[in-house]
Amino acid sequence: MKAMIIEKFGKDVPLLMAEKPMPEIGEMDVLVEINAASLNPIDFKVKEGKAKFLLKYDMPLILGNDFSGIVIKVGSRVKGFISGDEVYGRPRKGRIGTLAEYIAVHQDDISLKPRNLSFEEAASIPLVGLTTYQAFHDILKLQKGQKILIHAGSGGVGTFAIQLAKLMGAYVATTASDKGYELVKSLGADQIINYRKENFEELLTGYDAVYDTLGGEVLKKSFQVLKPNGKIVSVSGLPNARFGKEAQLGWLKTTLLSIVSHKLTALEKKTRTSYHFLFMKPSGAQLKIIKGFIEEGHIKPVIDKVFRFEDAPQALKYLEGGGAKGKVVVKIK
Ligand SMILES: NC(=O)c1ccc[n+]([C@@H]2O[C@H](COP(=O)([O-])OP(=O)(O)OC[C@H]3O[C@@H](n4cnc5c(N)ncnc54)[C@H](OP(=O)(O)O)[C@@H]3O)[C@@H](O)[C@H]2O)c1
């Protein structure tokens, strides 16, 4: 099969089209013929070797973290899927590689794809959808009427997040530039802050929650908008000791995390809020819930651009450029 691989880590290392053996399936796996994959910043972070603290990969490595396609074979103990099923998913860590014609994936990591979406649209959902569902549902437990600030509302994560927060009944403020204004407004954002001209921390106060996709100074300033007992979930900031314990990273890594994140811990104490780093987990069960939201018309995919399979290297560079409005998708078949 054809696949897009890297042979070593590095920013300037090329993404190459290569011939790879067909994946073999285990008894709980399905073999999927991939129709489309979406790209996520984790792809260029993995390529650069920046994700090594949490993710270990051998070379050569097929890149790609989410997909849609058709099941063509099932393992002996697979219960929920049969050949011909149209599915979407995010394979578990250690089993990535969706920039390929086929993938063997554990049945627990996939769901039937939303019936009302094309394969390209469906492929845009799993990683950003699961991340945001886990942030809002599992950690924030976002309630009707609560106020949430969503950073980078026009990005791949942000476009999904605005829609899910509105579906959960929250009041949504978001940061975007002029280029993203109309998009985030159309998705239902209640208050839009032009991050190039305005300081969100001076405009917002008494918020229940912040969803941070940027980290750094933006994350630190975000503590100022929260009310006491408010929560920040970051998918881009520093992991802290709480995350180390929850992810069972062991004493050494957890201690290292508590040292590197000490400024965030001090901000938590000062503002009487809590900070949660999230590293999303694959979940076919949650993808099934998201499928329901999409089929009921509550959430629509937002696609910036679709690239051909052979143009995946350009697609990755485009995403890395940072200005995407919604998702970047690669059509495999
Ligand atoms: N931990 C996890 O499990 C997890 C999961 C998913 C994603 N993530 C991380 O989340 C981050 C965002 O992912 P993504 O897919 O949304 O990226 P993305 O699609 O590349 O985000 C691009 C968007 O961000 C906007 N933006 C850039 N700087 C901004 C700022 N200072 N304020 C407001 N908006 C800004 C850009 O708008 P303009 O062009 O208008 O500036 C653009 O629309 C990445 O770092 C990714 O690795 C982590």
Side-chain angles (χ1 to χ4, degrees):
M1 68 166 185
K2 290 190 168 47
M4 281 286 172
I5 63 155
I6 51 168
E7 290 173 331
K8 57 181 180 177
F9 293 116
K11 190 171 170 58
D12 299 322
V13 162
L15 184 58
L16 302 167
M17 184 75 91
E19 200 57 45
K20 301 292 289 178
M22 279 291 281
E24 295 195 357
I25 55 168
E27 53 187 13
M28 296 293 279
D29 295 342
V30 304
L31 182 65
V32 177
E33 185 175 19
I34 297 178
N35 276 69
S38 88
L39 293 182
N40 295 278
I42 188 73
D43 295 313
F44 55 76
K45 291 179 188 176
V46 165
K47 180 170 167 290
E48 286 172 33
K50 281 187 178 164
K52 283 183 191 165
F53 188 77
L54 293 172
L55 303 166
K56 300 262 175 285
Y57 291 120
D58 295 328
M59 293 294 149
L61 174 69
I62 306 175
L63 289 188
N65 277 278
D66 51 12
F67 69 93
S68 65
I70 297 178
V71 174
I72 56 167
K73 196 173 170 187
V74 298
S76 56
R77 291 179 56 210
V78 167
K79 289 268 186 300
F81 299 94
I82 55 169
S83 286
D85 280 346
E86 297 187 351
V87 295
Y88 72 151
R90 190 279 194 257
R92 57 194 58 189
K93 68 177 176 181
R95 298 191 64 180
I96 66 163
T98 61
L99 288 173
E101 290 179 306
Y102 300 91
I103 191 164
V105 58
H106 195 287
Q107 69 160 357
D108 291 349
D109 300 346
I110 60 171
S111 153
L112 292 178
K113 86 171 185 29
R115 280 188 300 265
N116 54 338
L117 296 191
S118 67
F119 282 105
E120 289 83 38
E121 289 171 327
S124 75
I125 299 289
L127 194 137
V128 296
L130 288 170
T131 307
T132 305
Y133 185 82
Q134 288 162 18
F136 291 6
H137 181 268
D138 300 351
I139 301 178
L140 294 174
K141 302 182 192 343
L142 199 59
Q143 302 292 317
K144 198 171 176 201
Q146 285 192 323
K147 294 201 287 185
I148 183 167
L149 165 62
I150 295 170
H151 281 297
S154 61
V157 174
T159 47
F160 187 96
I162 293 171
Q163 298 182 79
L164 183 59
K166 290 310 299 173
L167 174 60
M168 293 172 88
Y171 176 90
V172 175
T174 193
T175 53
S177 70
D178 287 332
K179 288 179 286 174
Y181 182 91
E182 284 306 324
L183 173 61
V184 298
K185 196 170 167 52
S186 73
L187 297 174
D190 299 289
Q191 187 171 351
I192 302 161
I193 293 144
N194 186 330
Y195 74 90
R196 291 183 195 267
K197 297 179 185 153
E198 299 169 309
N199 296 322
F200 69 88
E201 71 279 12
E202 290 167 6
L203 297 171
L204 307 178
T205 181
Y207 270 62
D208 299 281
V210 175
Y211 187 38
D212 168 52
T213 56
L214 296 161
E217 285 307 305
V218 168
L219 168 58
K220 286 188 196 142
K221 288 176 189 165
S222 293
F223 284 86
Q224 296 175 37
V225 315
L226 288 177
K227 65 184 187 193
N229 297 321
K231 290 183 184 171
I232 299 186
V233 177
S234 178
V235 292
S236 285
L238 286 168
N240 57 0
R242 178 183 286 125
F243 172 78
K245 282 181 204 141
E246 282 163 7
Q248 300 181 338
L249 295 182
W251 177 83
L252 185 61
K253 279 189 176 178
T254 302
T255 306
L256 280 174
L257 291 180
S258 88
I259 294 168
V260 294
S261 65
H262 73 278
K263 284 190 180 150
L264 297 171
T265 308
L267 283 168
E268 275 183 302
K269 286 198 181 121
K270 189 176 163 200
T271 54
R272 289 183 287 131
T273 57
S274 63
Y275 169 69
H276 306 256
F277 174 78
L278 167 67
F279 194 73
M280 61 81 59
K281 298 181 190 73
S283 167
Q286 290 183 340
L287 283 175
K288 196 171 165 192
I289 295 171
I290 293 169
K291 166 182 176 322
F293 297 155
I294 293 171
E295 289 176 349
E296 286 158 16
H298 299 300
I299 293 182
K300 296 189 294 283
V302 180
I303 294 182
D304 178 289
K305 212 164 170 178
V306 179
F307 288 78
R308 297 180 307 171
F309 192 16
E310 54 270 40
D311 296 331
Q314 289 89 311
L316 197 59
K317 282 208 177 76
Y318 176 74
L319 182 72
E320 215 171 341
K325 300 284 161 276
K327 294 284 301 176
V328 174
V329 173
V330 176
K331 191 170 161 61
I332 307 280
K333 198 180 161 192

